[in-house]
Amino acid sequence: MLVGIALAAGLVAGLIVTVGLPLFLGEAIFGSIGWGILLGVLLLASLALAAAIAALRPGVQASIGGPFLLGLVVGIVVGVVLGLNLTNRGWTALADALVPAMDSAYRPLVVGVAAMALIGAVVGLIGGGMAGGGAGAIGGLVAGVVAGVFLGFLTAFAPGRRVGAAIGVAAGLITWTAAMGVGIARGGFDTDALKDRFYPSRTIEITKETIEWARERMPLSRRS
């Protein structure tokens, strides 16, 4: 019973550390427990996918290091740009030049959302039209507007250093996971390689040989 209590206490302590550490780091570094939850989930998802790719090689032809470096670069760039409020400053300067009469409290937001929605609509319309004709153009237009509005909101406000850094880490982890997923989709699955690695053909052959050897050494007695 005492051994069971000790094991249960150790298990609970491990769960507390596992669950509490991301929450503590999110609050201490980024100023919110929510960031700890989100970034912890994204990190675990990225590690799980990377481990799956490594385990299924050579059946899965996808890179892990390349997407990681891409995510690292994206995270640093996004974190620095948002942390220093560079996009907010840019939208503020553009809004001051275009609509100086508008209230300065929401002037950068309006200009940023409108500009990014317009850019997204054009890009989505052209890309969707090239990929899927008329229906693709309409879908690309809608998707481009939605993505543009989201990016406009994201880049128009001034998050500050802590929130900007948190967004950068999230963007880096999402980029890493997405890039690995794209690599899996492009490389596909080599079923023959997977079979060679996980199907115990050698063990089966040895077992058959052992059975045959045993039959030769110990023949079944005939019934009288």
Side-chain angles (χ1 to χ4, degrees):
M1 183 179 66
L2 295 177
V3 172
I5 293 174
L7 292 176
L11 179 61
V12 172
L15 290 175
I16 291 175
V17 173
T18 304
V19 176
L21 182 60
L23 302 180
F24 170 76
L25 293 177
E27 178 67 29
I29 299 175
F30 304 118
S32 174
I33 293 177
W35 283 116
I37 297 174
L38 176 61
L39 298 179
V41 171
L42 292 176
L43 176 61
L44 291 177
S46 300
L47 292 177
L49 184 57
I53 293 174
L56 294 176
R57 284 178 175 172
V60 175
Q61 300 296 330
S63 176
I64 298 175
F68 174 78
L69 294 177
L70 177 62
L72 181 63
V73 172
V74 170
I76 293 175
V77 171
V78 172
V80 171
V81 170
L82 294 182
L84 298 178
N85 303 326
L86 298 181
T87 54
N88 172 262
R89 296 177 184 178
W91 290 126
T92 300
L94 181 61
D96 292 341
L98 295 178
V99 284
M102 186 179 293
D103 189 353
S104 60
Y106 55 87
R107 184 165 52 201
L109 179 62
V110 173
V111 173
V113 170
M116 293 304 297
L118 179 60
I119 295 174
V122 173
V123 173
L125 181 64
I126 296 175
M130 294 176 62
I138 296 176
L141 176 64
V142 175
V145 170
V146 173
V149 170
F150 173 75
L151 291 177
F153 273 108
L154 183 63
T155 57
F157 79 106
R161 294 182 179 179
R162 301 177 76 178
V163 177
I167 296 175
V169 174
L173 292 174
I174 292 173
T175 302
W176 183 23
T177 304
M180 287 190 292
V182 171
I184 294 175
R186 290 182 176 178
F189 294 89
D190 188 346
T191 56
D192 293 334
L194 290 173
K195 183 178 179 181
D196 292 339
R197 176 166 185 178
F198 294 102
Y199 186 74
S201 57
R202 181 60 179 170
T203 303
I204 293 174
E205 293 176 359
I206 293 176
T207 303
K208 290 180 179 180
E209 293 176 358
T210 304
I211 293 174
E212 293 296 330
W213 178 85
R215 286 178 179 178
E216 294 176 358
R217 298 297 187 277
M218 295 180 294
L220 297 176
S221 61
R222 297 180 179 179
R223 295 182 180 180
S224 58

